[in-house]
Amino acid sequence: MSPPVSESPKISEQTTQPELGCLVLVVNASKTDERVFSEFLHAEGHQVCSAQGMEQALRVYFQLKPDIVLVDLSTNVREGERIVRAVKEQDEYQFVPVLLISLQREDALLVKSMPFGADDFISGSFDADVLHSKMNAMLRLRAQFREQLNRHRELSHRHQNIIREHDRAERIFTRMLHPSVFNLPNVRHLLSPMGTFSGDFLLAAPTPFGGQIAMVADFTGHGLSAAIGALPTSNIFYGMARKGFSVRDIVVEINERLYKILPPEMFMAAGVISYEPQRSLVSVWNGGIPEIWLKANGSGLKATFASRSLPLGILPADQFDPQIERMEVETQDRIYIFSDGIIEAENLNSERFGLHTLKTIVEEAHTTQGLFNEIILALDTFRDGQEQTDDLTLMEFACDLDPVPSMGKVTASEANKPLSDWQTSLVLNGPTLRSYDPVPNILQQLVEIQGLSVHRERLYTVFSELYTNALEHGILGLDSSMKVNDEGFQAYIELREQKLEQLVNGQIEIMITHRAHSNGGRIHLEILDTGPGFDHTAPLPLLRNNKILFRRGIPLVKAICSELTYLGRGNHVVACYDWHQV
Amino acid sequence: MTISTKISNDGKELTIKVEGRFDFNAHREFRAAYEQAKSNSTKFVVDMAETDYMDSSALGMLLLLREKVGGDNANISIVKCKPEIRQIFDISNFKHMFHIE
């Protein structure tokens, strides 16, 4: 069904010819003069009514609504003036011309009376030609005025309709994009109130692997056009986040879509982060928004992620290559992402809040607890009642998800999948290992065959942890102990990229076996790499002891699996995961 | 906001100077400015010495100019930016799209 189209009246094509057959009100004329005017006006094709004195004049004026008023000042100037003023006061829109008449030659008197609101005057002996042309001029002006008034009314009517429709559409879009749709307890935000779309919006969603992904976006312009452009972004974001795509994949996809649909002058600056609690890792991309900050609990900024890319929607797909930065995080670390509106917020003296002020607050806070409120308070104090500009956007992302994922909900379609035994295996060698991550696809198989969606996050943790170990330590020979501090962690990540690039030899073998039992099953996950292995008898640090940033993955896997065994020289691992029907 | 233009004698170079606030309200004038380019105009200079403020619609207008005068082959220099303006170009990484001096 098409939406109801609001009435848009046609602008009438009126001519501005004076109307014929007008009703003329003659006020305070002597009997003789009244007769002279009446004869003349009738001959001109007009109708005539007359009145004596203020009271009658106004009564007739309201009752008969004359098109033009002639006021004779010959008998009583004062009263005539009062009548002119009273008529003009009542005449807000209609523009009823008032003509002063004095058949004695009294120009000075008439000129003096003009400021009371009369439009013209005639003096001296009765002259049909003068009265005819002055009346016609008045009536023509009146017709023009009415035409303008009509146009104005029609235009403002249309304008109101457009505003109303924009407003409605904008409210719908804003609601669709509003952060209340994601409702994640560790993500807090400040955003302009619903109802106006400033061009800024926030998106956040859980990933199927127990992590989260979030985005702060700043569209060019504001209002409806920006809101419409923001919609595909939101669709792509939520659709891809749900399927577990990476920051890079999502950013590439949004860029391509926006590039195709937007006119060249429109684009979207954005910051996107993903958080993987199992790896205590954040991935960050910043294209055109101010620095993204990673604040460590109890100390200053751990990392600053400045914009390194063009905003989205500007470059065609083949020229767009987003660089993702990665950083290890600890529980209670927080990430702050904002658009330029917050640093451009002004106080009553037109001074800006500024990046420096904001940065100082975040840097100097002792703990991350309460920091968000501290920022809001500082901003409110600074603005001191200055009206809110409509694009104050800030997101605080707390890196405190439980690394041991809980189980999600069982869907009805999965609850009754038949139990069966099956197995799958994959052997990957050097060149493939360089570019292909087998984890998402294998996990998808695992989940689909047996209907194990509720176990997805836990299985992901086990699988990705063991695979990462095989690749990074087994094949690439990287040393976890490099990761003792942040610099070391960065160096580790860079070295990893470098070694992957140069990888030629090496092989990883993955075998997955499922054995069904009466009300569930056991998954054997075996990973074998061609690396030198490691001393798997060495003691392991405690789970979640965040002071030690390395080799934390294994205790995590142990906590989830029923069994975890290293074989051979430490290059062969077998994990058993038991599951039960609900 | 005032926008003025200057075309070199041979018509090859068009300079657009933006004074005051460069924002959405400049849209029409900015477009009128680059439409004055001659058929043989190949070099475009946006002089921002007197530009005090710039928003994302202004960045959009620059992209539109780029699109109109050759896209990837456009020869556009943005010159004499004040530090605040320069910062906006830095954050948006427009250095990949324009020569910013």
Side-chain angles (χ1 to χ4, degrees), chain A residues 218-221 264-267 286-290 307-311 314-315 319 344 352 355, chain B residues 27 31 53-54 56-57 59-61 63-64 66-67 72 87-88 90-97:
Chain A
D218 177 2
F219 228 91
T220 19
E265 71 274 23
M266 279 183 85
F267 56 85
N286 181 347
I289 65 165
S307 162
R308 295 209 175 145
S309 295
L310 277 159
I314 295 176
L315 287 178
Q319 292 176 28
E344 286 173 7
R352 291 185 166 191
L355 186 70
Chain B
H27 202 265
R31 184 198 297 247
Y53 171 84
M54 179 171 70
S56 64
S57 337
L59 294 175
M61 286 178 245
L63 290 175
L64 204 56
R66 187 178 181 275
E67 184 79 9
D72 289 350
Q87 200 182 1
I88 295 170
D90 285 346
I91 289 180
S92 57
N93 281 291
F94 268 43
K95 59 176 181 278
H96 298 303
M97 308 294 282

Side-chain angles (χ1 to χ4, degrees), chain B residues 29-76:
Chain B
E29 274 193 62
F30 189 75
R31 184 198 297 247
Y34 65 69
E35 278 170 357
Q36 288 177 27
K38 303 285 183 238
S39 54
N40 66 336
S41 300
T42 49
K43 182 165 170 44
F44 297 82
V45 177
V46 182
D47 181 341
M48 304 197 78
E50 306 294 329
T51 311
D52 305 320
Y53 171 84
M54 179 171 70
D55 71 357
S56 64
S57 337
L59 294 175
M61 286 178 245
L62 291 170
L63 290 175
L64 204 56
L65 164 67
R66 187 178 181 275
E67 184 79 9
K68 293 282 160 148
V69 302
D72 289 350
N73 301 316
N75 180 359
I76 303 172

Side-chain angles (χ1 to χ4, degrees), chain A residues 205-444:
Chain A
T207 67
F209 315 126
Q212 285 176 349
I213 188 156
M215 171 164 166
V216 169
D218 177 2
F219 228 91
T220 19
H222 48 80
L224 192 55
S225 60
I228 292 173
L231 210 57
T233 302
S234 150
N235 288 343
I236 293 170
F237 179 88
Y238 285 119
M240 292 182 78
R242 197 174 51 233
K243 292 186 188 121
F245 282 93
S246 67
V247 169
R248 191 190 146 85
D249 290 341
I250 293 176
V251 164
V252 163
E253 186 69 23
I254 293 174
N255 178 66
E256 190 173 352
R257 181 77 63 86
L258 293 182
Y259 179 75
K260 281 183 186 156
I261 64 171
L262 295 179
E265 71 274 23
M266 279 183 85
F267 56 85
M268 191 182 83
V272 186
I273 57 164
S274 80
Y275 169 46
E276 296 166 72
Q278 298 93 336
R279 294 181 180 179
S280 296
L281 190 69
V282 288
S283 305
V284 182
W285 178 80
N286 181 347
I289 65 165
E291 296 172 347
I292 295 172
W293 296 324
L294 175 61
K295 163 78 178 173
N297 191 37
S299 67
L301 292 184
K302 200 169 184 174
T304 298
F305 304 98
S307 162
R308 295 209 175 145
S309 295
L310 277 159
L312 300 172
I314 295 176
L315 287 178
D318 58 350
Q319 292 176 28
F320 184 69
D321 182 23
Q323 298 303 311
I324 312 296
E325 292 175 80
R326 290 188 178 80
M327 180 61 79
E328 180 118 88
V329 289
E330 293 176 49
T331 307
Q332 292 182 359
D333 281 359
R334 288 184 188 183
I335 300 170
Y336 293 88
I337 319 176
F338 45 93
S339 72
D340 50 12
I342 194 159
I343 49 183
E344 286 173 7
E346 290 188 353
N347 66 8
L348 293 164
N349 301 326
S350 299
E351 294 157 339
R352 291 185 166 191
F353 191 56
L355 186 70
H356 183 71
T357 313
L358 186 60
K359 198 168 186 169
T360 308
I361 296 169
V362 175
E363 255 177 340
E364 291 181 355
H366 286 299
T367 64
T368 50
Q369 207 80 34
L371 178 52
F372 184 78
N373 290 338
E374 207 180 309
I375 296 171
I376 305 292
L377 183 69
L379 190 63
D380 282 346
T381 312
F382 171 79
R383 276 161 52 224
D384 192 24
Q386 174 77 318
E387 209 168 292
Q388 181 176 335
T389 47
D390 56 4
D391 53 356
L392 296 179
T393 305
L394 168 71
M395 179 190 273
E396 179 196 69
F397 188 100
C399 303
D400 55 5
L401 294 180
D402 194 333
V404 180
S406 56
M407 283 192 268
K409 294 190 184 93
V410 200
T411 59
S413 62
E414 284 188 335
N416 298 316
K417 288 228 174 172
L419 293 166
S420 64
D421 293 349
W422 48 264
Q423 77 178 60
T424 180
S425 65
L426 185 66
V427 181
L428 301 171
N429 57 28
T432 312
L433 293 171
R434 236 186 274 159
S435 56
Y436 178 68
D437 179 4
V439 177
N441 277 328
I442 291 191
L443 194 73
Q444 190 60 29

